[in-house]
Amino acid sequence: MEAAVATPVKPTGLPPRVINLFNKFDADGDGKLTFNEFSVAVSLEFPNLPAYATEQLSDIFGKYQQGSTGDEHVDVLRFYKMYAALLFRNFDVDNNGVLDLSEAQAALAYLANGRKITIAQPLDESKGVDKKWFWEMYKTMI
């Protein structure tokens, strides 16, 4: 009997960095990440993730998980959303729920493998970029 060969997930319309990370840590190639696979991926992708965000990993996973007890997992589309939340938290080091414009641009440049990103500024730039605004900018990177 031949062993099954894992086929990496190749959805269109998602940032390559997110897809590559998902496939790298989908150990058995089933198109799902368990909490353990997710945790390892996050620790390597965001080695300087603030402590407050690291403490929220279980809650973030729980918000997006699928499957029944014992088979909790996330697919690549849910991972894409989780990645956005973690990317925001990685650059929101003071945990105030807002990024200044340069932090938001740095976060999106990180997603784009260092390519400089210029984003539309919020109407009141002095208030910074909140999660909702960041999510809108994140989605345009597809």
Side-chain angles (χ1 to χ4, degrees):
M1 177 183 271
E2 275 185 48
V5 176
T7 305
V9 173
K10 294 182 182 178
T12 57
L14 297 182
R17 185 177 189 114
V18 175
I19 296 168
N20 293 338
L21 184 67
F22 182 90
N23 286 329
K24 181 177 180 179
F25 289 95
D26 179 15
D28 58 5
D30 64 355
K32 305 172 186 175
L33 288 185
T34 64
F35 179 72
N36 288 340
E37 292 169 329
F38 166 72
S39 296
V40 172
V42 169
S43 68
L44 293 174
E45 179 71 358
F46 302 110
N48 300 315
L49 192 65
Y52 85 88
T54 302
E55 293 166 4
Q56 295 174 350
L57 287 182
S58 181
D59 292 338
I60 292 169
F61 187 86
K63 179 179 177 181
Y64 291 98
Q65 77 181 21
Q66 303 164 280
S68 56
T69 303
D71 182 37
E72 296 91 350
H73 62 274
V74 292
D75 62 17
V76 70
L77 294 176
R78 289 173 186 251
F79 180 72
Y80 162 73
K81 292 176 183 178
M82 293 164 66
Y83 189 98
L86 290 166
L87 184 62
F88 186 94
R89 284 171 174 83
N90 189 58
F91 286 84
D92 182 21
V93 293
D94 60 1
N95 190 21
N96 68 351
V98 177
L99 301 177
D100 69 34
L101 191 57
S102 65
E103 290 171 328
Q105 289 174 332
L108 295 174
Y110 183 84
L111 177 65
N113 294 318
R115 190 177 76 239
K116 183 176 165 71
I117 302 295
T118 303
I119 63 173
Q121 297 180 4
L123 293 176
D124 185 353
E125 186 181 334
S126 67
K127 293 183 180 178
V129 177
D130 65 11
K131 291 176 185 175
K132 183 178 179 182
W133 188 267
F134 184 79
W135 173 245
E136 293 304 317
M137 295 298 103
Y138 179 81
K139 290 189 303 186
T140 66
M141 305 246 341
I142 299 176

